[in-house]
Structure formats: structure tokens, C-alpha cells
């Protein structure tokens, strides 16, 4: 039975409401539009029952805001009641474009500010919602997920804090280490991967790509991304290689040990197109160094696929590497804020995740299994079959 068929035979847990914080406004509107379309076009049975009184709406978004006082302090406000509703709170903790004023001085919002705003909106719901779900594509403090010295465990503490506030489900994407969910073992924690969206965007923008062993290879830029590369290569049916980082553990630069060199493990990549897949581009230096080494080993085209394009050092080096032929495409999702200039880059491709998130929300609202959403193997196979048919 398909997801749509299951939704048609299942009752919603409670009336759906989506609170998209200012950091996530654009994505929230796209998600809302898809859910409206799903429910208007696919629900074929009678909805005369009072249980469906608020099922088909033109809008599932509710107004929410976190206005600031002159000191920089804030409060959360909801524009309508959420009593008895299945509330989904959407936030992008990486949206640095938003500012507020502190004693007359402009201040860009940090992940800490966005996380506090999530808690403010949950607090404004005042425990009256039937269920509270948080959609946080980039998991707050997910890079500080384990303790190696005398360090804080920020991600685990944040998850426990949300759970203590009454959050039932946390939905995220490509968590740096999904094992951090062990901090809240009795709460829902769903970690999704955009593998299907990557493949769809790649085939759309590079229609002449040959997705077979002779012409394509998947590369993991480090040992941390191995599971992503293994899955991607197995689904496509191509070989995989891996780089590992040699670091200088005697120094700390920018909060981490600097990379001395990237070493490659894998088969010959000469003449093959290469997909480099990872969870994020921060400054991009590591990814670009891997792309350069791949090119120097005789690879054909180089496609970078990353869930979160943070670009903390800007696009200058990416522009340079594109002009030199080291990279051909950079595919990233719209799960986090992307500056307008990104879409003007000739190498930049956006994998839209709004329909995927809408399907996740609709599935959870109907309380139906989401295994087919979490593991998109069949959809990728179908996509590749269609692509190969067009190339014949």
C-alpha cells in the first residue's frame, strides 16, 4: 500500500498546525502549499465526519513571532490557539541573515538565538497542544555530540531540554552522529537523508551522466561520511572510494584540529565521473581539497553533494576551483539558509526538500509508518530506470 493510500484510510492524530519560525518562513510556505495540494487532490473518500472538520484547509500555517525588547531579550507569541492541535514547529538554526537590536547595536542571530526562539514558541503553546513536534533540519549543536576532553555535551543536553518541555518528536536531517538520540530514548527522533533528492537534482542538471560502474564512482571525503557513501554507491550500483584525514592533534584552529593531508583509499578513478557526498560544507576547504586530489588522479567531472551548504567562508574559493575545473556541480539542499548570490553561481544546484518535508509531516499527522520515506531505495531505482530509458 502506498503512502497516499494509507493516508486515505487513516485518521489524523489531531488537526494539523505548522509554526514556521522567521528563520524558516520560505521553506514553511512551500511545505504548507504541498500539504494543501496533497489533501485537496488525493483524498477521495467522504470527509463529512466531524473528525475531518479541519482536515482540508487552504492554510495550515499559524502566525508565530519572537519580538525583542531593547535589551535583546525576547518572548514567543502565537497568533491563535493550538489547543488539541498536532503542532509542528519548524526552525533553521543556521539562518544568520536575521538580525535584532541590542541597546541600539545590530546583532546577527546565532544558532543559540534560534534555539531559544524554538523554546519560546513551545512555551507559548502552554502545554495545550495535543502533540508538539520540532522540525530542525540542522540539529542544534550536533557537531558537539561527544566528549573527548573536559567538554560540554551540548546536543544531548538540548535534546533532553526539548523532551522535558513536552516535545514528542524531533525530525532532523543527516545528523552529524544520529546516536545522540540515545539521550532521549523514549521520545521520537527521526533522521532523514536527502539521497533521492540529490540523485534527482543531479540527473536533472547533468542529463548525460552514465550511472554505471564503468563511468561513475562515489567518494566519501572522510571516514565520518562512509555510511552515506556506502548506501549511495550500493543503491546506484557503482564502486566507492574514501579519503581519510591526517590531522595535527597538537593544535586547535577554529575549534578543531587542523588537517595535514587527505589520503585516498579506493580503486582507479581515472576517466570516471565522481560524486563526493557529505553531510555539510562549512568552510569548504576539506571538500575542495578532496575534489582537487580527485581531479589530479584523472577523474572526469566532479559533483559535490552535501545536505547543508553553510559556506562559512563565502564562495570565493568555490568560484576559483570551478574556474580551474576542479568541481563541476555543487548540489545542496534548501534545508538551511542560502544567500541569494548562491543561486547565481553556474555550478550551484539546489535540491528542494519542501515536498519531502510535507510528506513527512502528513505521514506523522496520520500516524502511519514512514519507513518508505526514510529509506528511498525503491524511488532511486525507479529514477535511475527512467533516466536509463531516456538515454537509450
Amino acid at each position: 500500500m502506498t503512502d497516499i493510500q494509507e493516508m486515505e484510510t487513516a485518521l489524523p492524530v489531531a488537526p494539523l498546525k505548522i509554526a514556521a519560525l522567521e528563520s524558516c518562513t520560505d521553506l514553511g510556505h512551500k511545505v504548507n502549499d504541498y500539504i494543501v495540494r496533497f489533501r485537496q487532490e488525493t483524498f477521495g473518500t467522504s470527509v463529512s465526519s466531524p473528525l475531518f472538520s479541519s482536515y482540508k484547509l487552504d492554510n495550515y500555517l499559524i502566525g508565530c513571532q519572537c519580538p525583542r525588547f531593547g535589551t535583546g531579550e525576547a518572548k514567543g507569541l502565537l497568533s491563535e490557539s493550538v489547543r488539541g492541535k498536532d503542532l509542528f514547529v519548524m526552525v533553521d538554526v543556521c539562518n544568520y541573515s536575521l538580525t535584532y537590536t541590542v541597546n541600539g547595536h545590530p546583532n546577527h542571530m546565532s544558532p543559540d538565538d534560534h534555539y531559544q526562539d524554538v523554546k519560546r514558541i513551545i512555551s507559548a503553546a502552554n502545554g495545550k497542544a495535543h502533540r508538539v513536534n520540532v522540525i530542525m533540519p540542522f540539529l542544534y549543536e550536533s557537531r558537539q555530540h561527544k566528549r573527548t576532553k573536559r567538554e560540554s555535551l551540548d546536543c544531548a543536553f538540548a535534546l533532553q531540554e526539548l523532551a522535558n518541555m513536552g516535545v514528542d518528536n524531533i525530525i532532523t536531517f543527516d545528523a552529524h552522529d544520529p546516536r545522540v538520540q540515545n539521550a532521549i530514548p523514549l521520545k521520537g527522533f527521526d533522521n532523514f537523508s536527502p539521497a533521492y533528492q540529490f540523485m534527482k537534482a543531479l540527473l536533472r542538471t547533468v542529463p548525460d551522466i552514465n550511472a554505471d560502474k564503468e563511468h561513475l564512482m562515489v567518494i566519501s571525503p572522510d571516514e565520518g561520511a562512509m555510511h552515506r557513501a556506502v548506501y549511495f554507491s550500493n543503491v546506484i550500483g557503482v564502486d566507492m572510494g574514501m579519503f581519510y584525514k591526517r590531522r595535527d592533534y597538537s593544535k586547535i584552529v577554529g575549534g578543531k584540529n587542523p588537517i595535514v593531508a587527505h589520503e585516498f583509499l579506493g580503486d582507479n578513478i581515472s576517466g570516471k565521473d565522481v560524486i563526493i557526498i557529505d553531510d555539510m560544507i562549512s568552510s569548504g576547504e576539506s571538500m575542495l581539497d578532496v575534489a582537487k586530489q580527485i581531479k589530479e588522479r584523472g577523474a572526469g567531472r566532479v559533483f559535490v553533494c552535501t545536505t547543508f551548504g553553510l559556506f562559512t567562508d563565502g564562495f570565493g574559493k568555490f568560484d576559483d576551483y570551478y574556474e580551474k575545473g576542479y568541481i563541476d556541480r555543487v548540489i545542496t539542499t534548501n534545508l538551511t539558509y542560502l544567500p541569494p548570490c548562491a543561486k547565481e553561481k553556474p555550478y550551484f544546484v539546489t535540491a528542494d526538500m519542501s515536498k519531502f518535508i510535507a510528506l513527512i509531516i502528513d505521514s506523522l499527522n496520520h500516524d502511519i509508518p514512514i519507513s518508505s520515506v526514510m529509506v528511498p531505495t525503491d524511488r532511486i531505482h525507479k529514477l535511475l530506470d527512467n533516466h536509463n530509458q531516456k538515454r537509450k
Side-chain angles (χ1 to χ4, degrees):
M1 186 178 288
T2 67
D3 296 326
I4 297 300
Q5 288 174 325
E6 287 196 58
M7 286 183 201
E8 290 183 343
T9 57
L11 291 172
V13 171
L16 172 65
K17 289 296 177 182
I18 302 171
L21 274 69
E22 188 180 1
S23 61
C24 220
T25 302
D26 291 342
L27 184 61
H29 278 92
K30 288 183 178 180
V31 168
N32 174 70
D33 291 343
Y34 273 114
I35 294 177
V36 170
R37 193 183 309 170
F38 291 163
R39 297 193 173 188
Q40 293 292 340
E41 296 178 357
T42 62
F43 200 87
T45 58
S46 173
V47 291
S48 58
S49 167
L51 291 169
F52 292 94
S53 59
S54 58
Y55 188 79
K56 283 188 176 183
L57 301 176
D58 295 328
N59 180 37
Y60 297 93
L61 292 168
I62 62 170
C64 62
Q65 54 181 313
C66 294
R68 298 271 170 176
F69 300 101
T71 57
E73 297 166 292
K75 61 181 177 181
L77 295 174
L78 291 173
S79 64
E80 62 183 84
S81 172
V82 293
R83 185 181 294 274
K85 304 297 194 290
D86 194 13
L87 180 63
F88 287 80
V89 183
M90 295 179 63
V91 62
D92 172 13
V93 299
C94 294
N95 191 337
Y96 59 87
S97 70
L98 303 178
T99 60
Y100 61 92
T101 303
V102 181
N103 289 77
H105 301 283
N107 185 52
H108 282 267
M109 290 188 71
S110 70
D112 292 341
D113 292 316
H114 291 299
Y115 174 63
Q116 292 299 325
D117 281 355
V118 170
K119 294 194 293 181
R120 291 180 176 112
I121 295 302
I122 295 170
S123 177
N126 201 23
K128 299 299 189 293
H130 176 80
R131 187 172 65 175
V132 177
N133 314 273
V134 171
I135 299 180
M136 189 183 290
F138 186 96
L139 188 61
Y140 174 69
E141 289 291 358
S142 57
R143 299 173 78 178
Q144 188 52 36
H145 62 286
K146 63 182 178 180
R147 178 179 286 149
T148 56
K149 298 177 183 176
R150 290 184 289 275
E151 298 176 339
S152 57
L153 287 172
D154 296 48
C155 189
F157 183 78
L159 292 177
Q160 289 182 347
E161 194 172 22
L162 291 175
N164 291 335
M165 291 187 73
V167 173
D168 296 280
N169 296 296
I170 295 173
I171 297 100
T172 191
F173 289 81
D174 260 346
H176 201 62
D177 187 346
R179 290 174 297 182
V180 75
Q181 68 185 287
N182 293 336
I184 50 168
L186 299 182
K187 296 293 183 178
F189 183 97
D190 291 305
N191 179 45
F192 296 91
S193 172
Y196 172 75
Q197 285 74 17
F198 283 156
M199 204 67 219
K200 187 176 180 180
L202 181 61
L203 296 180
R204 184 185 73 246
T205 55
V206 190
D208 63 335
I209 192 171
N210 284 315
D212 56 44
K213 270 191 174 184
E214 289 72 35
H215 301 94
L216 186 65
M217 191 171 182
V218 176
I219 298 291
S220 170
D222 55 37
E223 55 274 27
M226 271 288 290
H227 65 282
R228 297 180 187 90
V230 168
Y231 173 76
F232 212 51
S233 61
N234 284 340
V235 172
I236 301 173
V238 299
D239 291 329
M240 191 207 80
M242 185 196 85
F243 280 84
Y244 68 91
K245 299 172 182 176
R246 285 200 292 115
R247 294 182 179 270
D248 183 354
Y249 288 98
S250 65
K251 301 177 184 176
I252 295 180
V253 179
K256 56 188 178 182
N257 303 106
I259 299 168
V260 177
H262 288 94
E263 306 291 349
F264 180 66
L265 298 173
D267 292 334
N268 181 27
I269 59 178
S270 179
K272 292 183 179 181
D273 290 337
V274 172
I275 298 174
I276 308 174
I277 188 164
D278 204 357
D279 62 336
M280 73 174 74
I281 290 175
S282 185
S283 65
E285 288 187 7
S286 176
M287 187 73 80
L288 291 172
D289 185 48
V290 167
K292 182 180 178 182
Q293 289 200 43
I294 287 172
K295 271 292 190 180
E296 290 172 348
R297 285 175 165 81
R301 294 171 294 185
V302 175
F303 310 115
V304 176
C305 294
T306 181
T307 308
F308 306 110
L310 306 180
F311 302 103
T312 56
D313 288 351
F315 292 88
K317 201 166 185 180
F318 284 87
D319 294 342
D320 183 45
Y321 272 52
Y322 173 72
E323 291 171 5
K324 291 179 178 176
Y326 293 134
I327 57 173
D328 292 86
R329 293 286 188 278
V330 176
I331 302 172
T332 189
T333 71
N334 59 342
L335 292 172
T336 52
Y337 172 75
L338 294 168
C341 66
K343 298 170 185 178
E344 299 172 2
K345 306 295 181 184
Y347 53 83
F348 191 84
V349 179
T350 303
D352 185 18
M353 299 296 291
S354 53
K355 187 175 183 180
F356 190 24
I357 295 175
L359 182 59
I360 293 168
I361 291 175
D362 220 16
S363 298
L364 289 174
N365 182 238
H366 286 82
D367 220 12
I368 65 172
I370 55 174
S371 54
S372 61
V373 182
M374 294 191 73
V375 185
T377 305
D378 292 339
R379 287 185 293 157
I380 294 176
H381 284 160
K382 185 176 180 180
L383 189 68
L384 289 170
D385 289 342
N386 291 337
H387 174 73
N388 293 330
Q389 286 293 327
K390 289 178 182 178
R391 286 186 53 81
K392 288 182 179 179

